[in-house]
Structures are given as C-alpha cells and as structure tokens.
Amino acid sequence: MYDPTRLAALVAVSEAGSITRAAQRLGFTVPALSQQLAKLEREAGAALLVRHHRGARLTGAGEVLVAAARRVLDEMDRARHELARVAGLSGGRLRVGTFTTAGMHLLPPALTAFRRAHPEVELAVAGYEPPLGIAAVADGTVDVALTHAYDPAEPVPVPASVVQEPVLVDELVLVTAPGHALTAGTAGTVRLPLGELAGQPLISMAPTHPPRQGVESALAKAGATPSVLVETPGYALVCALVSAGLGVAVVPEMVARTSATPVGVRQLAPGNLRRTISLVHRSDETNPAVDSFRALVRGTFGRAGG
C-alpha cells in the first residue's frame, strides 16, 4: 500500500512539470519533497521520474502510478465526504472564501452539491482576492478558502496552521480581438511561441498586481509592449478591452473560455505560464463540513480541468 502523501506528491510533480514548482504548491521544501519521491520509487521498485534541466517528466512506470494515484486520491476524497455525511452535519455553518473567477465559475456547483448533501448547514461566502484568503483561514474568519498562485512568481508564505491543497492547474493563454491574425483560422490551433508576442500591444496588469508580476516580467522579456495598464485584477475588463481591439492579453484559460465579450484564444509555447487554484483550510482543526466541501470541490474542479 502506497503512502497517500507520496502519491499526491507524484501527481503534483506530473502536473507542475518540476519538483521545485510542485514543492512550492504543496508547501514542502524541495529536499523534503525529493525525499518523499525517492521513498515512493523504492516502494514501487522502479524509477518514476526523469529529471532534466527544465524540470522532471514521468517514466512509463510513473505514468501508470499517477493514473492509479488519481483514482486512489479521488476515492479517499469520496470516503471523506461519505464519513462527513454519516457524521450528521445537521446544523452549523460553513464559511467559504473565494476569489472572483472561482466564485463565478467553479464554486456554485460545489456549493449546490454541498447544499443537497447537507441542507441544514448554513452557508456564508466572502470575497478574498489572493493571497488574502490564506490569512482569512489562518485567523478563523472563514473555514475554507479558494486561492490561487501564478507561475512564475515568488511563492506566498503559508502559516504552519494552514494546509494548501492544489485542485486545478489553469494554463495561461493568449486572447485577442476576434479575427486577429494570431488567433484566427488555423493559426489558433497550434501553440504560439512566447517570442512571437514581440511588438504586440499588451493589456497589462503590472506592476500593481503582485501575483501577476512574474508573468508580466516574462511577457516583457518576450518583447510584448504595454499598451493599456489595468491596475486592478479585473479579468472581465481586460477581456473587454482586448475584444475592442486595444491590445492582446495573457489570461487564465478559464477566463478566456468564459469571457462575456468575444475574444480569440490561442495556447502559448512552451506552456509554462499557469495559475494553480488551491483550497486552503486549517490543519489543527477537525471540521466535517470542511472535509465534505473539500471532497465536493475536488470532484467539481476535476471535471472542470478535464
């Protein structure tokens, strides 16, 4: 029987593409995560990862184990949900923090499922733009929160009392006005090298939005030229400006696919700009409502990510 923590670590590396990025998302140090992976390889009796200068990739054995690990972790989540159901949850309150995108597109189905399973639990939802949700969980203002972190970016410190559980990786993509040469026709079906953005007018969210600064720096190095500066983290506004032809932008794929204004979309190469959505909760408290909600979120986000 494999240790679930080590299985989760292997899944995280497979999604992040590197041990360093996976360690940041899981709140591990790189040596600690490497030690967990080494123990898992000894348990499996096979090499699971091939390290290279840009990160790590799965071996054939690793791919087999990751597929099985996802099934095991999903079953454990479902078991936690069933145990919470058996525990009663016939009252009380669940306080949830969320940021705008998740609140609009991912949270409603999870809360609907929670209300169906636990109709007597009072629900309260509050908005926290990342990383403020982490602090709200740490100080007890909310029981659980959805947050996100961009890559590349400096890792956000997480208090020891808080667990950060990655649930969905949202790749960043190029959005343009409809019919733009970079996204129209067959051009939109292949990844665009980041360097091809050189000279393109960029709808920028830097420098006043700290979570985006690493991404904006990468775009600047690629030669994208700031055209309009949006100083608040409002993707609906960014997409509206793009749709109107004022420039191009790089936004999470979930934002692009659900934009209220029409935009062209194209994936970027090498695909290493991303946003990881995580669920945060306290590690020093037992809360059946939080456990049930976590299981429902993983199921909802897994379908959204597929």
Side-chain angles (χ1 to χ4, degrees), residues 212-254:
R212 283 271 311 199
Q213 286 175 346
V215 172
E216 299 290 340
S217 177
L219 296 174
K221 289 178 182 177
T225 306
S227 172
V228 179
L229 184 66
V230 177
E231 297 189 357
T232 57
Y235 278 128
L237 174 58
V238 169
C239 288
L241 296 176
V242 167
S243 184
L246 291 172
V248 303
V250 173
V251 304
E253 187 168 17
M254 185 186 306

Side-chain angles (χ1 to χ4, degrees), residues 66-131:
V66 161
R70 287 196 173 103
R71 292 193 295 270
V72 169
L73 294 172
D74 285 345
E75 284 296 324
M76 291 181 67
D77 281 335
R78 280 192 285 271
R80 279 194 290 266
H81 171 56
E82 286 302 307
L83 287 171
R85 182 183 62 79
V86 171
L89 287 178
S90 57
R93 180 171 64 159
L94 178 68
R95 301 166 300 169
V96 181
T98 184
F99 60 96
T100 302
T101 309
M104 292 176 61
H105 303 296
L106 296 174
L107 186 59
L111 287 181
T112 298
F114 184 90
R115 171 54 56 80
R116 188 183 306 118
H118 312 296
E120 296 182 22
V121 176
E122 178 186 343
L123 295 174
V125 180
Y128 291 95
E129 286 303 318

Side-chain angles (χ1 to χ4, degrees), residues 151-152 170-173 194 214-215 218-219 250 268 270-275:
D151 190 6
D170 195 10
E171 187 174 320
L172 303 190
V173 297
L194 203 59
V215 172
L219 296 174
V250 173
L268 296 167
N272 58 353
L273 302 182
R274 55 176 64 93
R275 177 178 73 168

